[in-house]
Every structure is written in C-alpha cells, then in structure tokens.
Amino acid sequence: MRAIRLEDKLSAFTEHWSPKIVTQFNGHDVMVVKVQGEFVWHAHPDTDDLFLVLKGRLTIQLRDGEVHLGPGDLYVVPKGVEHRPVADEEVHLLLIEPAGTPNTGDPATAAVKTAI
C-alpha cells in the first residue's frame, strides 16, 4: 500500500485540460489536471462538478457571476449549471466525479481520461 503523491502525478505530464485519473473510489474517478486559458462553456446534466485548487488561481465563470478560487479552495458547480473555468496562468486541480463523466458534458467533445 502506498500513498498517492499528487505532486508526482502532476509532474508526469504537461498538457492542459487533459484530466488524469490517479485513483477510483465508489464508482468515482479522482483526477488531477493542469489548466490554462479558457475552457468551453458547458454543463453536466446528471452530476455536480467539483473543483479543488491545488496550485494557482482559477475563475469559474457562471452565467450570473464568477467564483474566484485560490490554493486550498473548493467549489462545487451544481448539476445542470452552465459554467466555464478560466485560468490566466497554469493551475493545478483535483477533480472528483462519477467514472465516465465527460469533462465537457458531451462525450463527443470530451477529453479522453487516462490513468497515471
């Protein structure tokens, strides 16, 4: 049994907006991702969207406002709410969502999630 070092997992890749599965529990993927720039506006009709900032500053744009997050901050976008994450500089995130959830809300446009 070994602990998962998120810093080691994050140092194993460079691409942005490409979630990496570090473990699973109770049918959920626990992922790390590096983000920079603007993601697409999207919603998840069947699940909430959890963001935990590990490093950097993230803005989650909502149609009726914005949520600003820094290291250690967590925000859950309720299911069905349209949102867009934006990062002026590189941000490292921890994400937890039901296995198989497409990151864009649409399987046709979602990034393929790989385990590391």
Side-chain angles (χ1 to χ4, degrees), residues 10-90:
L10 284 156
S11 68
F13 65 96
T14 59
E15 62 269 18
H16 294 126
W17 306 108
S18 181
K20 307 297 182 197
I21 301 168
V22 297
T23 193
Q24 294 181 313
F25 80 101
N26 295 331
H28 286 69
D29 292 331
V30 178
M31 299 166 288
V32 291
V33 64
K34 293 178 180 180
V35 302
Q36 187 171 3
E38 297 177 346
F39 200 56
V40 297
W41 281 99
H42 68 285
H44 302 273
D46 300 318
T47 186
D48 300 330
D49 205 0
L50 181 146
F51 295 85
L52 172 61
V53 176
L54 302 171
K55 175 183 171 186
R57 300 191 103 24
L58 181 74
T59 299
I60 299 177
Q61 296 178 338
L62 306 164
R63 292 299 184 183
D64 60 354
E66 295 182 340
V67 177
H68 301 279
L69 305 172
D73 291 341
L74 179 141
Y75 183 73
V76 176
V77 178
K79 68 180 175 181
V81 173
E82 196 173 18
H83 60 285
R84 177 172 73 165
V86 177
D88 292 333
E89 311 242 341
E90 186 173 87

Side-chain angles (χ1 to χ4, degrees), residues 89-106:
E89 311 242 341
E90 186 173 87
V91 174
H92 297 177
L93 300 172
L94 178 82
L95 308 173
I96 301 173
E97 60 193 22
T101 300
N103 66 338
T104 60
D106 179 357

